[in-house]
């Protein structure tokens, strides 16, 4: 018997309304105190193609994707063969038995649970469209009996889902009762897989990373959002607008103290962001890989003219259109060095919705302080799926870091203003907002070479001096980005990861320890890399680098920026478009030890 430990997959057709029912299932378990993780795998068209929705429940708190499935709710005849094949031996197949299951789909090592869903709904709902929609709710009712879920929690989810649409509550609950009643009368309930109320979720919340990032932008002081719709980043801008309409509107006048501009394309969007930031507004855009490609030249302008800009890059599978609704970590190189010439951009790597919120807000302080673009690197898995997260918190009275901005009073004390003078040795010059002083502090913003006073020049000496100063600023940035998170007990080998590769890592480490493989860990949170990253690598015989792309882009950055020996970095790669699993990490590391004929690392390095 398994209690609070299983993976269930719902196989449906996109556009069938199944996502609402499947989400209600996950949130009902969450309300019972269970740690749950959801993954919605959907096609890039509007409707008609297959969609899958995974819910993982883990008593040990593992939230990463698992390769095997324990329960399959197969509601799409077109994918029956694939769905049946992915079930683990001993698993359970729940299907609509209104039509018999084809012989070639039968497996002797799984349990088939047939429910005549279409027939059950035929007499209850006259409208064909309603029957299709309520089919999803009916299997949810059956699952409440099969898994022994508290029924009042399920009905409470319906009431929450359709609050304000009261006419929909009663028929949805009726469909739940049809499914539950059938299961109780004709099926063996409950299954050996059960759920029990616990308090394992604690005070955590369920939220997607895009919503958290949009809220982080709001709390970070953003007043301008310019964007062009692209999967999977659109909901960042939508979340910002939603919360800005609640929190950035003057109570008496109704005046909105923010601007959201849907531009005609990504080039216009980043142009608006740079123009607004040059004028002193905190501004941002949200995009994905194709948008980063299009924004590249403007990002070079912001880097060289030293204008703050914030970009939220919710990564998806490329290149070109690639797989727009699949996840990857494949924009690192293009984002880090976006634009022609010698450019380097600050990147932040959140791993949880809470960090999407916190890093999202921090981006604006960093962009202002460093006078440069800052890119938040999240991905579809984190951005679009509901995840367990620690509560989002904000310190009252927290002041924004606007960096080196001179006021009119400051300018009165300056004998000669030099926009690109390095007065403090940190590579960052002082700037002014337009109109600060009637006759002091003005300068010409240009993307061409200039001297310390912003005057155009093609002098080799002036150009090289400026480029060296930008490197000093890069060194300053390495001390301001979030530090890497390290756990170390002096092991001979380490493992390095970032972003959503952190989600399966606790489970992967436990699997490896069962094989007597013990690793120190480092999670990278920002680029440029801090000294602690290079020291961690130096302190270990070799380090596994886990990432979700084909070309080992994080390893490339580490070798390029730290002049490291590539042989000390061992790539663990996955780029299939799903989130990397603990099984994949464990299998590749075990294979490395076998191929290299290395002993398992049980001794602590002396």
């Amino acid at each position: 018997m398994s209690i609070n430990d299983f993976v269930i997959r719902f196989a449906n057709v996109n556009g069938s309304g199944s996502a609402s029912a499947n989400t209600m299932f996950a949130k009902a378990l969450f309300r019972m105190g269970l740690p749950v993780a959801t993954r919605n795998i959907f096609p890039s068209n509007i409707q008609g193609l297959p969609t899958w929705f995974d819910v993982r429940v883990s008593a040990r708190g593992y939230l990463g994707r698992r390769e095997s499935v324990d329960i399959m709710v197969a509601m799409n005849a077109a994918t029956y063969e694939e769905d049946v094949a992915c079930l683990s031996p001993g698993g359970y197949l729940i299907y609509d038995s209104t039509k018999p299951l084809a012989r070639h789909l039968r497996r002797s090592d799984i349990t088939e649970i047939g429910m005549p869903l279409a027939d059950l709904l035929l007499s209850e709902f006259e409208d064909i469209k309603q029957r299709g929609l309520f089919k999803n709710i009916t299997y949810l009712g059956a699952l409440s009996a099969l898994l022994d879920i508290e029924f009042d929690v399920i009905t409470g989810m319906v009431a929450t889902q359709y609050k304000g649409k009261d006419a929909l509550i009663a028929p949805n609950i009726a469909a739940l009762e049809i499914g539950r009643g059938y299961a109780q009368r004709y099926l063996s309930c409950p299954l050996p897989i059960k759920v029990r109320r616990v308090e394992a979720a604690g005070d955590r919340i369920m939220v997607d990373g895009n919503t958290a990032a949009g809220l982080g932008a709001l709390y970070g002081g953003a007043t301008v959002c310019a964007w062009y719709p692209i999967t999977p980043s659109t909901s960042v801008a939508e979340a910002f607008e939603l919360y800005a309409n609640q929190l950035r509107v003057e109570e008496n006048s109704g005046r909105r103290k923010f601007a959201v501009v849907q531009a005609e394309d990504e080039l216009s969007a980043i142009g608006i962001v740079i123009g607004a930031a040059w004028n002193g507004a905190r501004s941002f855009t949200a995009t994905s890989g194709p948008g980063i490609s299009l924004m590249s030249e403007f990002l070079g302008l912001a880097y060289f003219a030293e204008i703050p800009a914030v970009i939220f890059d919710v990564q998806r599978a490329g290149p070109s259109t690639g797989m727009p609704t699949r996840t990857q970590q494949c924009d690192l190189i293009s984002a880090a060095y976006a634009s022609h010439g010698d450019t380097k951009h600050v990147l932040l790597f959140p791993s949880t919705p809470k960090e999407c919120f916190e890093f999202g807000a921090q981006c604006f302080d960093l962009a202002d302080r460093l006078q440069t673009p800052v890119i938040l690197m999240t991905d579809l898995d984190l951005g679009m799926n509901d995840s367990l997260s620690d509560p989002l918190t904000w310190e009252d009275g927290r002041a924004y870091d606007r960096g080196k901005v001179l006021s009119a009073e400051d300018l009165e004390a300056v004998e000669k203003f030099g926009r690109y003078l390095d007065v403090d040795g940190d590579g960052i010059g002082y700037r002014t907002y337009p109109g600060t002083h009637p006759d002091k502090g003005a300068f010409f913003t240009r993307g061409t070479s200039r001297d310390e006073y912003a005057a155009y020049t093609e002098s080799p000496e002036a150009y090289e001096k400026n480029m060296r100063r930008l490197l000093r600023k890069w060194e300053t940035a390495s001390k301001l980005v979030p530090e890497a998170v390290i756990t170390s007990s002096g092991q001979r080998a380490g493992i390095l990861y970032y972003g959503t590769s952190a989600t399966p890592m606790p489970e992967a480490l436990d699997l490896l320890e069962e094989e007597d493989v013990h690793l120190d860990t480092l999670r990278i949170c920002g680029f440029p890399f801090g000294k602690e990253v290079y020291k961690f690598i130096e302190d270990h015989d070799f380090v596994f680098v886990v990432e979700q792309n084909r070309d080992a882009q994080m390893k490339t950055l580490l070798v390029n920026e730290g002049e490291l020996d590539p042989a000390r970095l061992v790539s663990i790669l996955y780029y299939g478009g799903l989130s990397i699993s603990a099984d994949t990490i464990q299998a590749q590391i075990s294979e490395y030890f076998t191929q290299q004929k290395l002993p398992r690392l049980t001794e602590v390095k002396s």
Side-chain angles (χ1 to χ4, degrees):
M1 179 176 293
S2 174
I3 305 293
N4 296 345
D5 197 356
F6 61 91
V7 174
I8 183 170
R9 175 171 294 170
F10 300 90
N12 299 94
V13 174
N14 198 37
S16 65
S18 58
S20 295
N22 301 337
T23 300
M24 280 195 284
F25 173 83
K27 290 187 176 180
L29 300 183
F30 174 66
R31 287 189 173 188
M32 291 178 62
L34 280 67
V36 295
T38 67
R39 284 174 178 84
N40 189 15
I41 305 163
F42 58 98
S44 56
N45 73 334
I46 297 175
Q47 64 179 32
L49 288 182
T51 181
W52 293 270
F53 191 97
D54 284 7
V55 179
R56 182 172 188 184
V57 179
S58 171
R60 300 182 67 177
Y62 297 144
L63 301 177
R65 185 178 67 87
R66 208 182 72 186
E67 297 291 342
S68 56
V69 176
D70 302 303
I71 304 171
M72 172 64 69
V73 182
M75 294 293 137
N76 184 2
T79 61
Y80 269 174
E81 188 166 357
E82 179 180 351
D83 297 334
V84 171
C86 75
L87 266 169
S88 300
Y92 297 86
L93 174 68
I94 300 173
Y95 68 101
D96 187 348
S97 60
T98 303
K99 294 182 179 180
L101 197 65
R103 181 173 297 179
H104 73 281
L105 299 176
R106 313 297 287 269
R107 280 177 55 181
S108 60
D109 61 344
I110 63 173
T111 300
E112 298 169 1
I113 303 174
M115 291 183 61
L117 291 170
D119 288 346
L120 288 172
L121 296 172
L122 189 61
S123 60
E124 296 292 334
F125 302 100
E126 295 182 1
D127 185 88
I128 295 176
K129 186 177 180 180
Q130 273 194 330
R131 289 201 295 268
L133 293 173
F134 286 130
K135 185 177 180 178
N136 306 314
I137 302 298
T138 304
Y139 68 61
L140 186 56
L143 285 170
S144 72
L146 290 167
L147 301 180
D148 205 16
I149 301 171
E150 297 171 13
F151 193 57
D152 60 335
V153 176
I154 297 280
T155 56
M157 283 303 309
V158 170
T160 300
Q161 179 83 10
Y162 297 108
K163 185 178 181 181
K165 302 177 181 179
D166 295 350
L168 296 175
I169 295 176
N172 273 277
I173 291 179
L176 281 174
E177 290 172 339
I178 290 170
R180 183 177 177 85
Y182 182 89
Q184 289 174 330
R185 284 193 299 273
Y186 301 109
L187 305 176
S188 297
C189 297
L191 298 176
I193 297 175
K194 300 180 182 180
V195 298
R196 288 286 182 270
R197 179 178 287 275
V198 291
E199 295 301 327
D203 65 347
R204 285 178 288 180
I205 61 175
M206 284 194 76
V207 64
D208 64 90
N210 282 357
T211 296
L215 194 58
L218 184 74
Y219 273 77
T223 57
V224 175
C225 169
W227 64 293
Y228 183 77
I230 182 171
T231 302
S233 71
T234 294
S235 55
V236 176
E238 292 173 339
F240 174 80
E241 184 173 16
L242 172 68
Y243 292 114
N245 275 315
Q246 297 175 23
L247 302 173
R248 282 269 173 81
V249 178
E250 289 182 348
E251 188 173 348
N252 296 329
S253 67
R255 176 173 169 264
R256 285 175 169 79
K257 301 172 70 175
F258 65 95
V260 177
V261 183
Q262 182 175 326
E264 61 265 37
D265 53 32
E266 286 89 350
L267 282 79
S268 298
I270 189 64
I272 293 168
V273 168
I274 293 170
W278 181 83
N279 277 280
R282 289 195 153 184
S283 54
F284 76 100
T285 188
T287 191
S288 193
I292 293 293
S293 297
L294 290 169
M295 295 176 184
S296 198
E297 186 174 2
F298 259 136
L299 287 172
L301 169 65
Y303 172 82
F304 198 55
E306 299 181 66
I307 303 170
V310 172
I311 302 94
F312 292 161
D313 179 8
V314 189
Q315 298 168 89
R316 69 188 206 186
S320 187
T321 305
M323 295 190 291
T325 58
R326 297 292 187 266
T327 194
Q328 272 190 15
Q329 297 173 318
C330 56
D331 296 349
L332 269 70
I333 299 296
S334 60
Y337 302 126
S339 193
H340 53 279
D342 293 324
T343 55
K344 294 184 181 185
H345 300 299
V346 176
L347 312 179
L348 301 189
F349 304 104
S351 293
T352 64
K354 182 178 174 63
E355 287 188 341
C356 286
F357 173 76
E358 294 175 343
F359 290 6
Q362 188 177 0
C363 281
F364 294 91
D365 279 351
L366 287 171
D368 272 350
R369 176 81 177 271
L370 295 165
Q371 302 171 22
T372 198
V374 175
I375 307 175
L376 184 80
M377 305 293 291
T378 175
D379 59 32
L380 183 147
D381 183 45
L382 177 57
M384 295 193 69
N385 291 309
D386 285 328
S387 304
L388 276 188
S389 172
D390 291 330
L392 312 182
T393 58
W394 187 259
E395 183 181 345
D396 289 338
R398 173 174 162 179
Y400 298 139
D401 184 353
R402 299 309 303 259
K404 297 183 176 182
V405 180
L406 296 177
S407 65
E409 184 179 358
D410 294 329
L411 287 169
E412 287 292 344
V414 175
E415 183 176 345
K416 184 179 181 182
F417 173 66
R419 169 65 181 92
Y420 300 108
L421 278 171
D422 185 5
V423 177
D424 305 313
D426 58 4
I428 305 170
Y430 284 82
R431 64 180 176 133
T432 58
Y433 296 143
T436 297
H437 192 283
D439 50 30
K440 285 189 173 184
F443 63 95
F444 193 87
T445 304
R446 61 175 78 248
T448 49
S449 180
R450 70 291 170 125
D451 65 14
E452 294 168 314
Y453 297 93
Y456 175 74
T457 179
E458 294 186 10
S459 160
E461 292 77 17
Y463 174 79
E464 289 183 354
K465 186 175 184 180
N466 186 56
M467 295 299 285
R468 286 195 300 271
R469 179 182 58 78
L470 290 173
L471 278 182
R472 287 198 298 277
K473 179 161 62 167
W474 186 248
E475 177 64 25
T476 299
S478 70
K479 302 169 186 175
L480 297 177
V481 299
E483 287 188 7
V485 178
I486 298 173
T487 60
S488 178
S489 56
Q491 302 297 329
R492 290 170 50 206
I495 188 167
L496 180 154
Y497 53 96
Y498 61 98
T500 51
S501 297
T503 307
M505 195 55 61
E507 183 177 12
L509 293 171
D510 286 347
L511 291 172
L512 288 165
E513 287 191 356
E514 291 174 6
E515 300 179 358
D516 286 331
V517 175
H518 304 277
L519 303 170
D520 291 335
T521 69
L522 181 145
R523 177 167 68 89
I524 288 179
C525 296
F527 174 75
F529 307 123
K531 292 181 179 179
E532 74 280 2
V533 173
Y534 300 119
K535 186 177 188 306
F536 179 89
I537 295 171
E538 291 169 3
D539 287 346
H540 293 86
D541 294 347
F542 56 92
V543 175
F544 296 104
V545 182
V546 180
E547 46 186 322
Q548 299 176 64
N549 57 69
R550 185 194 68 179
D551 294 341
Q553 295 186 30
M554 178 59 78
K555 177 181 176 180
T556 299
L557 283 179
L558 287 164
V559 170
N560 188 54
E561 295 294 321
E563 299 181 358
L564 303 173
D565 178 3
R568 300 186 66 182
L569 302 176
V570 181
S571 290
I572 305 297
L573 305 175
Y574 175 78
Y575 45 91
L578 304 176
S579 56
I580 192 170
S581 68
D583 309 292
T584 297
I585 297 169
Q586 178 266 335
Q588 290 191 34
I589 290 177
S590 293
E591 183 180 3
Y592 176 81
F593 279 104
T594 301
Q595 288 182 345
Q596 300 297 319
K597 298 180 180 180
L598 292 172
R600 295 301 193 253
L601 299 176
T602 56
E603 307 94 1
V604 174
K605 186 176 181 180
S606 59

